[in-house]
Amino acid sequence: MYRHLEHRLARRIVEFLRLRYPEANLPKVVIEQPPKVELGDFAIPLFPFAKPLRTAPLKIAEAIRADIGPIEGIAEMQVAPPGYLNIKIDRAWMVASLASDQNPPADIPPGKILVEHTSINPNKAAHIGHLRNAILGDTFVRLLRFAGREVDIQNYIDNTGVQVADVVVGFTQIEKKSRAEIETLTHQPRFDYYCWDLYARVSQWYEQDKQNLQVRARTLHAIEDATSETAAIAELISTAVLRRHLETMDRLDIEYDFLPRESEILHLHFWDAAFIKLKEAGVLTYENEGKNEGCWVMRRAGTGDVARSPSPATADARKKTNSSEMADENDDVLVEVPLRPGVDIRPSGISEEDQKVIVRSNGTVGYVGKDIAYHMWKFGLLGRDFAYRKFYRYPNQHECWISAMQGEKVHPHFGDVAEIYNVIDARQSEAQNTVIEALRGLGHSEAADHYTHFSYEMVALTPRCAAELGYILSEEDKTRSYIEVSGRKGFGVKADDLLDQLIASAKNEVDSRHPQLTEAERLSIATQIAIGALRYFMLKFTKQSVIAFDFKEALSFEGETGPYAQYAVVRATSIFKKAAIDSDSFCGDVASNVSAADLAKFLAGDNADEFWELWLAASKTSYLVDQCIATTEPAYLAKHAFQLAQLFNTFYHRHPILSESDEKRKQFLLATVAVVRRELIRALAVMGVTVPPVM
């Protein structure tokens, strides 16, 4: 209701000012939250209106207060120098709305949203850094769905790139295994762990002799040929590892709808279709001199308008090579670039420092080029589609589909969406911006405006956490604030190992507190605590913060942690249990258990500010969800859950609810517990955190 009331207030003020100043160009109404409830519940600065209205902010505030008239849900307005409106909510109206769990419909924009997240190279086990991506992405999906949006969840699988090629090299060149032997290994438990170690060994093999990198280049070429033995081996490995990734993420209740694979993007000629459109629109131009001679380039994002020079449809045929350029970290794959001889080739007209190479002179298409084609498909702009087949069924029977060359006739419709959010780390900012600029250059500015790079920083380990995981630290390492991980060096925390250790640590605590429970019950509770701790820890930091993960901090029952918020709900539930009241029934219909008049009575007067602050905080779930979506920052909801838990715990210790002699006051206190419990459960659920029965 807080969100709904805020929107109503802003709309009425705009309507009022438009009537008074019909010729003025009004700025947006900004509604702030005063630091203390005694100052009001909303604060509106009128300074931005002074210039367009040619009136002092204080006079604007006074006019609004005097003449705007009654607004449902607003009790009073006060003018504060030098130009603020301080506004108090009608407490009786608000608590009656909260008690009856009113949720006025919001304006939901049309169209489906696509959230792409996780996108782990299918060459080894998932690690702790991947967990931050997946948890951020999954939480954002939950935020959007809470707000009523339709969402598709995609997990892009680069199954033809350098990382997969390296593991193929490891199996075929270092371990000398046949396809049949590799297939047998893929059926072993945690095959992804085997690949983790092998991947590190391959990296060492390259370092021992740089000539070995030529094997990688040849393997990449062979993987591109769908009929080759090497491609079949790569398919075996990447598919087996992908299944393990889905199993790992399912432990965190993270699911996907569709797994688009790079192999199909290549073999279904998505790039060919995109290449033609990019040339015709002048987004790509040919460079016939300088260091990028023979390349197709576009203007680097942020350096000016996309090139608009006349674009050649084709150029003289270019040869394929086994260039070592193929072995870089961009996972480049050689693609036949369709060219027609005899057509005039024009220079790009872009300075070398502003050029972004999309197609190299040897015919290789970089990661960004393939990404442009993929995102054209996402927006329904490519004119091509995947075939689809079922790949993975979750325990709840939800089907996850995968791209294919030939698929099932009946399948869900993917792609052709209204908005895209790509959860990719901050190091990919330039590539993401290049895709956006390519869309603009193609004339799809609306699509570009609805393309968001949901960026985040890396996850590292505290020295204590690294030591607990068995890593040998130098004296210098022990003094650092965090220890970086490296998959190529084999130094890192596998996601399943992290989950196993968190669950084991939580279970030790549960075993000591609740020995009367069965082993299965204690394990279930420990798992909920561990998953809640991990998800909350990954969400409480803003996206641009580097996270130094620590077991002890994440699992603490005190401070800003998942267990602290879970414990507040458990404590609230225990109050109803001790009172022999069904908590779900009472909390689901608070209004029938206490009258609106009694609620208003105990929230009236200055001495009731403590209660009001708790009810007001509980009213903000939808408001915080909107804020998280608008800023792509789930940390705000984590902070809200923690603060609501803090306020509740203070309330719990100050007011002995069950021993309260005044029956009406007791019912009011129980209603307060019920509303806070309900909203905490909702907020935690949006973060993917469930609440155990005991802790």
Side-chain angles (χ1 to χ4, degrees), residues 16 95 135 138 142 155 164 167 183 255 259 318 324 389 421 436 472 474 498 553 574 583 618 634 655:
F16 173 82
V95 297
I135 290 169
D138 179 68
R142 292 168 185 264
N155 177 1
V164 170
V167 178
E183 184 170 9
E255 298 180 353
L259 310 171
R318 296 193 297 273
S324 62
R389 62 182 174 85
Y421 290 88
I436 292 171
I472 306 301
S474 67
L498 177 64
E553 182 183 350
S574 71
S583 57
H655 303 282

Side-chain angles (χ1 to χ4, degrees), residues 95-106:
V95 297
S97 300
L98 276 173
S100 57
D101 199 15
Q102 291 182 23
N103 190 21

Side-chain angles (χ1 to χ4, degrees), residues 278 282-287 292 296-309 347-358 368 372 430-431 433-439 441:
L278 290 164
V283 177
L284 286 187
T285 50
Y286 186 77
E287 185 61 25
N292 293 329
W296 289 88
V297 304
M298 65 175 283
R299 187 176 296 278
R300 194 176 293 276
T303 61
D305 294 336
V306 174
R308 292 290 183 181
S309 57
S348 70
I350 310 171
S351 64
E352 285 189 355
E353 61 270 21
D354 291 343
Q355 290 176 359
K356 176 67 177 177
V357 174
I358 303 300
V368 174
I372 291 170
E430 183 185 8
N433 289 335
T434 301
V435 175
I436 292 171
E437 290 308 308
L439 290 171

Side-chain angles (χ1 to χ4, degrees), residues 531-564:
I531 299 302
L534 176 60
R535 292 192 65 126
Y536 189 94
F537 194 92
M538 291 294 186
L539 294 170
K540 74 174 183 177
F541 298 94
T542 56
K543 297 176 304 177
Q544 302 310 318
S545 303
V546 174
I547 293 179
F549 186 82
D550 186 88
F551 285 109
K552 185 175 181 180
E553 182 183 350
L555 282 169
S556 174
F557 279 47
E558 300 299 327
E560 192 176 353
T561 66
Y564 179 83

